[in-house]
Amino acid sequence: MKNLRYLLLLSIVMMFMPTKAQVIDENIEDKEEVKEDSAWTDSVKTDTASTNLLWPQSVQEKINRLLKNKMFQTSQVGMMVWDLTADSCIFEKNERQMMRPASCMKLLTAITAIDRLGGSYQFKTQLRYTGKIENHTLMGDVYLVGGMDPRFNSDDMSAFVSNLKEMGVDSIHGSIYADKSMKDDNQYGEGWCWDDDNPTLSPLLISRKDQFTDRFISKLREAKVIFSPFSAGIRRCPDSAYTVCTRYHSLDQILVRMLKESDNLYAESMYYQIAASTSNHPASAKSARAIERKLIEKIGLDPSHYRLADGSGLSLYNYITPELLVRLLRYAYQNDNIYMHLHPALPIMGVDGTLEKRMHNAFTQGNVHAKTGTVTGVASLAGYCTAANSHILCFAIFNQGVLHAVNARAFQDRVCMSLCSPQ
């Protein structure tokens, strides 16, 4: 009787116990809720509904699931993904919403510069003089002609002085002038915050500092060059002046640091090269914007729909769309002369630049080449990747109104994972 009661009780309990499959499913759901509530992770959750879908429906399903995260209850996102191999859009959401791109603005600057100036373009700074050289004395004035080269350093300055000495000059009977006429006098970009870490916008910089003339004079004194009499000032160099030395840095040298390290000075220097190409003197941001608008029109969009302010993305006045960046990336991909310079200069996910510490995953590491952008409340990512089906993709993701940028970056990383992982 005792055994019979035990068996009866056991059978009743078993009727209400969940199956092994039910226990596993519930544990997975609980873990997913913890992940969603705490933070994004580096892995994309397995979606049984999407595994049976074909490309690109499976990608669309995965991204739509990511968009259900609670962070989008208090923030906005605009994005677009384009299959360059098939030349078709595979995902879009708020792609025409006007948003601040932060440092992804550097992509517009870079593509415009390569398109306008060509990949062989060089930044240059010159040492020139007027008058004549007699008995080891330069009887005339010396001109330091700025070309807004952000890479000019002490080695370049030493080359200036050594070239002057090689010409037999031991003394200068004249003045030393800084020619800063290449650009206008604006020291800040339009819409820059006064208390931000803003770069110095001068055509004559050495090691990023506005100390060019002082450093040149110091180098001359080290080389025992005598001044008699001596004066220094700012004046445009005459066209008839003779050239002592020209120091060059290539567009690629500027482009790599500008994009991989998101260097604002390098971006603004590139921006003013675009402006100078119009032959408007002095170069201005207005002239650079005019060239950018021509390119926007060339790729089939209306430039009046966007607000362009600077070359680096520091400005609070920049407003563009994910669609615009995707169109530009597509244009660059279709033009080998642009793509061959742009693609190697982009940060590589999990490898270098501003993406070095992000997404060390087998599918994205070394695969995603993209520009990052971060300012208060804004996080953006735009670039290229290769999907599991070997299709080349380009994409742009703008997160706006985000209190914690880390959450936006994690979302972007998971989108990249969705694009790159096998479907």
Side-chain angles (χ1 to χ4, degrees):
M1 181 65 73
K2 187 176 179 179
N3 290 340
L4 183 61
R5 285 200 302 269
Y6 174 77
L7 291 173
L8 180 62
L9 179 62
L10 183 62
S11 63
I12 293 172
V13 171
M14 290 295 291
M15 289 176 61
F16 292 96
M17 286 186 66
T19 64
K20 183 178 180 181
Q22 288 172 327
V23 171
I24 292 174
D25 287 344
E26 288 171 3
N27 286 341
I28 290 174
E29 289 175 3
D30 289 341
K31 288 178 182 177
E32 288 178 354
E33 287 177 4
V34 170
K35 290 176 183 177
E36 298 255 336
D37 290 340
S38 59
W40 292 96
T41 62
D42 286 345
S43 62
V44 176
K45 295 172 289 187
T46 301
D47 182 3
T48 55
S50 65
T51 54
N52 296 323
L53 296 175
L54 298 176
W55 173 273
Q57 288 82 9
S58 55
V59 172
Q60 295 163 355
E61 178 68 22
K62 285 186 176 182
I63 297 176
N64 280 323
R65 285 177 60 86
L66 295 175
L67 289 169
K68 293 178 181 179
N69 187 272
K70 67 179 184 179
M71 70 177 283
F72 297 112
Q73 295 173 10
T74 57
S75 66
Q76 305 80 47
V77 64
M79 57 188 299
M80 189 176 198
V81 182
W82 195 275
D83 186 333
L84 293 164
T85 304
D87 199 19
S88 62
C89 180
I90 64 173
F91 192 88
E92 55 190 0
K93 181 178 177 62
N94 298 328
E95 74 281 0
R96 294 184 178 176
Q97 292 291 307
M98 296 290 287
M99 296 181 172
R100 289 171 58 196
S103 282
C104 276
M105 195 72 179
K106 292 181 176 72
L107 283 173
L108 173 55
T109 303
I111 294 170
T112 303
I114 305 169
D115 186 58
R116 175 75 178 187
L117 307 172
S120 61
Y121 182 84
Q122 293 182 309
F123 291 59
K124 68 179 182 180
T125 310
Q126 292 186 309
L127 174 65
R128 306 182 71 186
Y129 75 95
T130 57
K132 57 185 179 180
I133 299 173
E134 292 182 345
N135 300 321
H136 302 290
T137 299
L138 195 162
M139 305 292 292
D141 298 322
V142 174
Y143 290 85
L144 308 168
V145 186
M148 205 165 185
D149 179 357
R151 283 183 63 95
F152 193 97
N153 58 28
S154 58
D155 290 339
D156 297 303
M157 188 67 82
S158 296
F160 270 13
V161 175
S162 62
N163 273 266
L164 193 62
K165 290 283 290 183
E166 287 171 8
M167 294 176 65
V169 175
D170 290 332
S171 64
I172 299 173
H173 190 80
S175 299
I176 296 175
Y177 292 109
D179 183 346
K180 300 184 177 183
S181 62
M182 180 261 192
K183 72 171 288 294
D184 56 28
D185 295 330
N186 292 335
Q187 294 298 303
Y188 296 96
E190 183 181 351
W192 286 9
C193 293
W194 65 270
D195 60 346
D196 206 344
D197 184 18
N198 297 312
T200 302
L201 301 184
S202 171
L204 273 173
L205 296 175
I206 176 168
S207 302
R208 308 179 70 94
K209 295 181 174 63
D210 191 10
Q211 302 172 348
F212 204 100
T213 302
D214 291 342
R215 294 279 291 274
F216 177 68
I217 293 170
S218 177
K219 283 286 185 181
L220 287 176
R221 286 174 174 157
E222 289 177 12
K224 310 299 183 184
V225 176
I226 301 169
F227 306 93
S228 175
F230 170 73
S231 64
I234 298 175
R235 179 187 292 181
R236 184 171 180 177
C237 181
D239 293 338
S240 58
Y242 304 103
T243 300
V244 177
C245 179
T246 302
R247 298 295 288 181
Y248 296 99
H249 288 109
S250 70
L251 180 140
D252 284 332
Q253 288 177 300
I254 308 303
L255 199 63
V256 167
R257 183 175 177 115
M258 166 185 161
L259 296 179
K260 285 193 181 291
E261 304 302 327
S262 200
D263 193 300
N264 294 322
L265 173 61
Y266 279 55
E268 295 300 331
S269 297
M270 189 77 77
Y271 197 55
Y272 278 94
Q273 307 303 316
I274 297 169
S277 72
T278 64
S279 298
N280 292 333
H281 200 88
S284 66
K286 181 179 179 181
S287 294
R289 287 193 288 266
I291 301 301
E292 288 180 328
R293 291 190 183 103
K294 287 181 181 178
L295 177 58
I296 291 171
E297 190 171 19
K298 184 178 180 180
I299 63 175
L301 297 175
D302 187 345
S304 67
H305 290 172
Y306 311 99
R307 180 73 164 84
L308 313 177
D310 67 2
S312 61
L314 278 173
S315 177
L316 300 177
Y317 300 161
N318 291 310
Y319 276 94
I320 62 174
T321 66
E323 179 191 37
L324 172 58
L325 278 192
V326 165
R327 288 284 197 100
L328 286 167
L329 290 167
R330 177 172 172 259
Y331 174 76
Y333 179 78
Q334 293 173 338
N335 291 268
D336 290 341
N337 291 333
I338 300 176
Y339 192 72
M340 67 183 293
H341 296 279
L342 177 70
H343 192 259
L346 290 169
I348 304 172
M349 187 80 80
V351 176
D352 64 16
T354 55
L355 287 177
E356 181 179 4
K357 297 181 180 180
R358 286 175 63 171
M359 207 62 174
H360 291 84
N361 179 279
F363 302 114
T364 58
Q365 186 171 3
N367 181 358
V368 179
H369 295 237
K371 182 71 196 76
T372 59
T374 307
V375 295
T376 302
V378 176
S380 54
L381 185 70
Y384 302 95
C385 66
T386 302
N389 65 352
S390 299
H391 283 209
I392 307 299
L393 312 177
C394 68
F395 63 89
I397 309 169
F398 291 3
N399 289 93
Q400 312 277 288
V402 289
L403 185 60
H404 303 291
V406 63
N407 291 333
R409 288 193 288 267
F411 165 74
Q412 295 162 5
D413 290 349
R414 293 187 72 174
V415 169
C416 290
M417 181 66 175
S418 298
L419 298 177
C420 299
S421 61
Q423 307 306 318

